[in-house]
Amino acid sequence: MPERGLYDRGMAVRRAVLGDAHVDRSLARASDFDRDFQEFITKTAWGSIWTRPGLDRRTRSLLTIAMLAALGHDGEFKLHIRATRNTGVTRDEVKEVLLQAAVYAGVPAANHAIALARSVYEEMDGEETGASAS
């Protein structure tokens, strides 16, 4: 059983950043094999790091996007691009972070990340258009 305080704080931030729908899907898909990992990331990444007072949530979001782009972690990168709607990070800020990443992490990594971000933003725009048409 997870330590409730750290887990609960982590879960609150995880839901605020990634959204209830994503977190609910992740928890529903958890199996005996990866349930411990879900607990670990909730307590460690979200409960211990994202709740620290030294950086605000917006800044942590920008840093996460830059690091995921540099490391080429496409799935997590796309997830955190979607999360910008919850963290207050603008598309122009993402563009600037990826330009910065091009200099320090390499043009191929940034080029790939820009293409991924563009496709996620196009999906998000389509979702918003679809929702407003309903």
Side-chain angles (χ1 to χ4, degrees):
M1 182 58 75
E3 185 231 300
R4 294 316 306 169
L6 190 58
Y7 182 85
D8 290 345
R9 286 191 308 275
M11 185 57 70
V13 174
R14 187 177 178 191
R15 286 182 178 285
V17 171
L18 301 179
D20 287 332
H22 170 79
V23 175
D24 289 345
R25 279 190 308 273
S26 294
L27 296 175
R29 284 192 312 253
S31 67
D32 288 341
F33 182 75
D34 62 355
R35 192 167 288 111
D36 290 341
F37 182 73
Q38 289 293 320
E39 178 185 328
F40 171 77
I41 61 174
T42 300
K43 286 171 39 179
T44 307
W46 299 105
S48 291
I49 301 302
W50 278 77
T51 59
R52 292 179 55 81
L55 296 171
D56 62 22
R57 204 171 280 174
R58 209 176 132 286
T59 302
R60 288 186 192 283
S61 177
L62 286 166
L63 288 167
T64 301
I65 289 166
M67 288 184 273
L68 292 171
L71 294 169
H73 295 303
D74 296 2
E76 290 287 317
F77 176 82
K78 289 169 32 177
L79 175 65
H80 281 274
I81 292 297
R82 279 189 166 278
T84 60
R85 71 173 86 172
N86 300 325
T87 61
V89 171
T90 68
R91 293 177 187 204
D92 283 340
E93 290 170 326
V94 169
K95 179 175 66 175
E96 291 302 322
V97 162
L98 296 178
L99 285 168
Q100 186 86 9
V103 173
Y104 291 97
V107 170
N111 185 46
H112 183 65
I114 287 168
L116 289 174
R118 189 174 105 194
S119 72
V120 171
Y121 285 136
E122 288 169 356
E123 287 174 15
M124 290 167 65
D125 290 344
E127 292 164 5
E128 291 169 8
T129 302
S132 63
S134 301

